Amino acid sequence: MNRHSTGGLVAAVLLSLTAAGCGDGGDGDRGTAAPGTATTPASTAPATEAAPEASPTPSPARTYPLSTGPRTIPSVRDHEPARGPGWRPGAGSAVVVAKGSGVLADEARLLAGELRTAYRGEAPARPGDVELALNRGQAGGPESYTLTTRGGRVRISAPDEAGAFYGTRTVKQALRSGGVVPEGVVRDRPGKPQRGLNLDIARKHFSAAWIEDRLRDMADLKLNQLGLHFSDDQAFRIESASHPEVVSPQHLTKAEVRRILALAARLHITVVPEIDSPGHLGAVLRAHPDLQLRNVQGTPRQGAIDISKPASARIVDDLLREYAALFPGPWFHLGADEYQALTVRDPAASYPQLATAARQKYGQGAGVEDLATGWLNDRAAVVNAADKEAKAWNDGFFAGGAVTADKDIEVEYWTGKEIGAREPVEYLREGRAVVNLNDEYLYYVLGEPNEFTYPTGRRIYEEWTPLVLRGESAVPERYAGQILGGRFAVWCDLAGAQTPAQVASGIRMPLRATAQKLWDPARPTLTWADFRTLADRLGGGA
């Protein structure tokens, strides 16, 4: 696996290790007299007197102050301090996996490559080694780990592979930030199960290599979910076999996507595909103009597909099935936001074909919102049949109609500005699971249109938590368990406003702040200035 270079780190660490082995480094008092140095040599003692035998004076053992926790992003949740030198890689160090933990070989090889140490496979740990161990029954929950540093070695144990991997990220960052993995025990776990980055690759093309760089950065931040919005009005960006006519000239091939997915899997990141419908389908509709929604005067609505036509469902379902087979993760994002038929004063009068279809399918009391909700449920059924859980944007869920969105569809809450965008607590009261993409804090919109401003890491770090779903207000703490996490989102509304390199640089600190607050929603112990300094020391991201 191609990872960030750690050559400079290893050189510095090895120098530190040499110094630590030769002196006390100020860690404690060192005796100055060795055993026997108080005696007078026998050859110089007077012949008539027996020189008294001196009692040996042992050197006192080196003492160390209590350790402090490793400096990482996100910070570790709990560190039990201890006295000792900590751990640095040395000339004989290696990474090993414990007996019966061979499934961690990939994680161990990665860490060994980053530290430029040997990898000895499934073998007993020696002094100077890092050992990875899988313990399915270990307490702490999914993605948790325990990292124990004592006796000149490190042991990472976890109930699953992801937890063991995150333990290796802590080792890597601790060495970068302080040159040593501190003595003691780290017990760490994520605050939220979904933690990630959302990328709009439809409005702006990003290369596979650029996306892979984002994955590597995410992995070091213990983020585990990458959303790919690859279909919109501007373009359709992944190769298609079922409908090649909808694909834009600049796109990712399926071979490139599989390469991205393979790297993501090794880094314990799930990629979530999104095909947004029934709005945001302009690229599809350019190839199928007969399916575009038109009002009673015949005027087309950009990006909106006519959901009264059976052919509209067929083409979208073809695409959903094709990409559900390509992406192995458990989720598929269905969009459902900003359907233009619902932004007019009287949808039934403007779009009588939709009103008629709603009554025919759901009864005389049904309206256009019900038809849109039924569309969402039908698309969810398609991805459910492919063993995927459905996600949809919050303004695609409507209240009080003849049709209700399926309760198993996860609400991705992004805004309170759109039609249908109810207060977050309304979704929570219904018992729905919610993911936080609050556009006040977590939306990086290229060109800053529609009163958006580029979010700052400082605001996220100091003000936002997963409970802050809309604007600046938090929902009650009792709903915390229904909020599954969040993602920082890049949207390319004005695609030419920034280069890919500028995007990577611009999101660097906001993404780190987001990672911190999703791993541990509590108020951070570091000031923002210290957090930024730590981020610079750890490197990565741009």
Side-chain angles (χ1 to χ4, degrees):
M1 286 167 281
N2 179 23
R3 299 287 297 179
H4 300 306
S5 171
T6 57
L9 161 67
V10 173
V13 166
L14 291 177
L15 286 172
S16 299
L17 178 61
T18 303
C22 297
D24 65 7
D27 288 322
D29 296 327
R30 179 178 289 275
T32 57
T37 57
T39 62
T40 303
S43 60
T44 62
T48 59
E49 294 182 26
E53 184 175 349
S55 298
T57 305
S59 298
R62 183 189 300 185
T63 60
Y64 297 88
L66 278 175
S67 61
T68 57
R71 305 272 285 207
T72 62
I73 295 176
S75 59
V76 301
R77 302 289 292 273
D78 181 72
H79 175 253
E80 179 184 308
R83 298 184 188 276
W87 180 88
R88 300 177 175 91
S93 294
V95 181
V96 301
V97 294
K99 184 178 180 180
S101 300
V103 294
L104 299 178
D106 195 39
E107 289 78 12
R109 285 193 188 94
L110 173 60
L111 182 63
E114 291 169 330
L115 301 183
R116 298 191 178 183
T117 65
Y119 167 65
R120 291 206 314 273
E122 196 169 323
R126 304 171 185 169
D129 286 353
V130 177
E131 180 186 41
L132 275 60
L134 191 67
N135 180 3
R136 297 290 186 188
Q138 181 172 310
E143 302 181 291
S144 67
Y145 66 92
T146 299
L147 189 157
T148 304
T149 306
R150 69 165 62 102
R153 68 186 72 183
V154 172
R155 177 180 169 86
I156 299 167
S157 63
D160 56 23
E161 291 92 331
F165 176 69
Y166 294 144
T168 69
R169 302 305 86 196
T170 295
V171 168
K172 177 182 175 181
Q173 287 199 21
L175 291 170
R176 281 190 170 181
S177 63
V180 64
V181 181
E183 201 84 3
V185 181
V186 169
R187 295 179 181 87
D188 206 9
R189 66 195 185 283
K192 294 295 179 183
Q194 295 187 37
R195 310 175 305 279
L197 172 66
N198 212 72
L199 287 178
D200 171 12
I201 66 171
R203 295 178 178 95
K204 183 178 183 69
H205 175 69
F206 292 97
S207 69
W210 189 91
I211 295 170
E212 288 168 338
D213 284 343
R214 304 288 73 70
L215 288 170
R216 295 184 183 98
D217 190 42
M218 291 170 62
D220 282 352
L221 298 172
K222 301 183 174 78
L223 297 171
N224 65 1
Q225 193 178 86
L226 174 68
L228 283 185
H229 176 92
F230 64 89
S231 170
D232 212 302
D233 294 345
Q234 291 78 2
F236 193 103
R237 298 285 190 186
I238 296 179
E239 174 187 357
S240 172
S242 66
H243 289 280
E245 73 281 2
V246 308
V247 180
S248 302
Q250 247 190 336
H251 63 271
L252 298 173
T253 66
K254 285 190 176 178
E256 288 175 316
V257 172
R258 291 188 182 101
R259 193 179 82 198
I260 290 167
L261 292 170
L263 176 61
R266 291 196 296 273
L267 300 178
H268 298 276
I269 296 171
T270 299
V271 182
V272 182
E274 181 189 352
I275 296 178
D276 201 346
S277 79
H280 296 279
L281 282 172
V284 172
L285 293 170
R286 277 195 294 276
H288 296 272
D290 55 309
L291 300 180
Q292 188 157 18
L293 179 67
R294 297 176 182 272
N295 67 13
V296 70
Q297 286 85 29
T299 304
R301 293 306 299 265
Q302 181 179 350
I305 203 166
D306 190 333
I307 59 177
S308 70
K309 295 183 175 182
S312 296
R314 284 196 294 270
I315 190 171
V316 171
D317 290 350
D318 286 346
L319 295 167
L320 291 175
R321 292 187 183 99
E322 178 177 4
Y323 295 105
L326 177 63
F327 289 86
W331 295 284
F332 206 114
H333 203 306
L334 301 174
D337 62 312
E338 299 181 318
Y339 187 44
Q340 295 298 306
L342 298 173
T343 62
V344 299
R345 180 175 300 175
D346 188 346
S350 295
Y351 302 98
Q353 75 275 32
L354 301 184
T356 298
R359 291 191 297 270
Q360 289 173 345
K361 189 169 185 178
Y362 300 113
Q364 287 302 308
V368 178
E369 282 188 359
D370 295 304
L371 192 67
T373 301
W375 171 275
L376 173 60
N377 287 343
D378 291 344
R379 307 294 74 76
V382 170
V383 299
N384 291 162
D387 294 323
K388 309 289 185 190
E389 297 178 41
K391 292 174 173 284
W393 299 114
N394 65 285
D395 51 317
F397 294 76
F398 304 98
V403 184
T404 302
D406 290 346
K407 287 294 180 72
D408 291 336
I409 302 173
E410 291 182 7
V411 179
E412 302 242 326
Y413 200 98
W414 71 281
T415 189
K417 302 169 185 175
E418 302 292 329
I419 299 294
R422 296 173 286 144
E423 289 288 339
V425 73
E426 295 185 39
Y427 302 87
L428 295 166
R429 284 174 185 154
E430 293 173 3
R432 295 187 181 277
V434 177
V435 178
N436 192 326
L437 288 94
N438 184 343
D439 64 351
E440 174 70 22
Y441 290 94
L442 305 179
Y443 262 38
Y444 191 93
V445 185
L446 266 59
E448 301 182 305
N450 302 321
E451 300 182 350
F452 281 108
T453 58
Y454 292 128
T456 67
R458 182 168 190 164
R459 278 197 76 207
I460 298 168
Y461 188 77
E462 294 181 344
E463 301 175 16
W464 180 82
T465 75
L467 291 173
V468 181
L469 284 162
R470 175 173 175 169
E472 301 175 0
S473 300
V475 299
E477 178 69 32
R478 65 178 178 273
Y479 294 117
Q482 290 173 237
I483 301 171
L484 303 181
R487 293 194 303 283
F488 185 83
V490 175
W491 297 103
C492 302
D493 292 40
L494 300 176
Q498 290 191 340
T499 65
Q502 288 172 323
V503 173
S505 178
I507 70 174
R508 183 177 180 273
M509 287 309 300
L511 191 62
R512 279 151 177 72
T514 304
Q516 172 63 43
K517 301 302 278 289
L518 288 169
W519 190 264
D520 186 354
R523 180 174 292 278
T525 57
L526 294 181
T527 66
W528 170 250
D530 288 342
F531 184 82
R532 189 177 186 100
T533 298
L534 175 60
D536 290 342
R537 187 173 184 85
L538 293 173

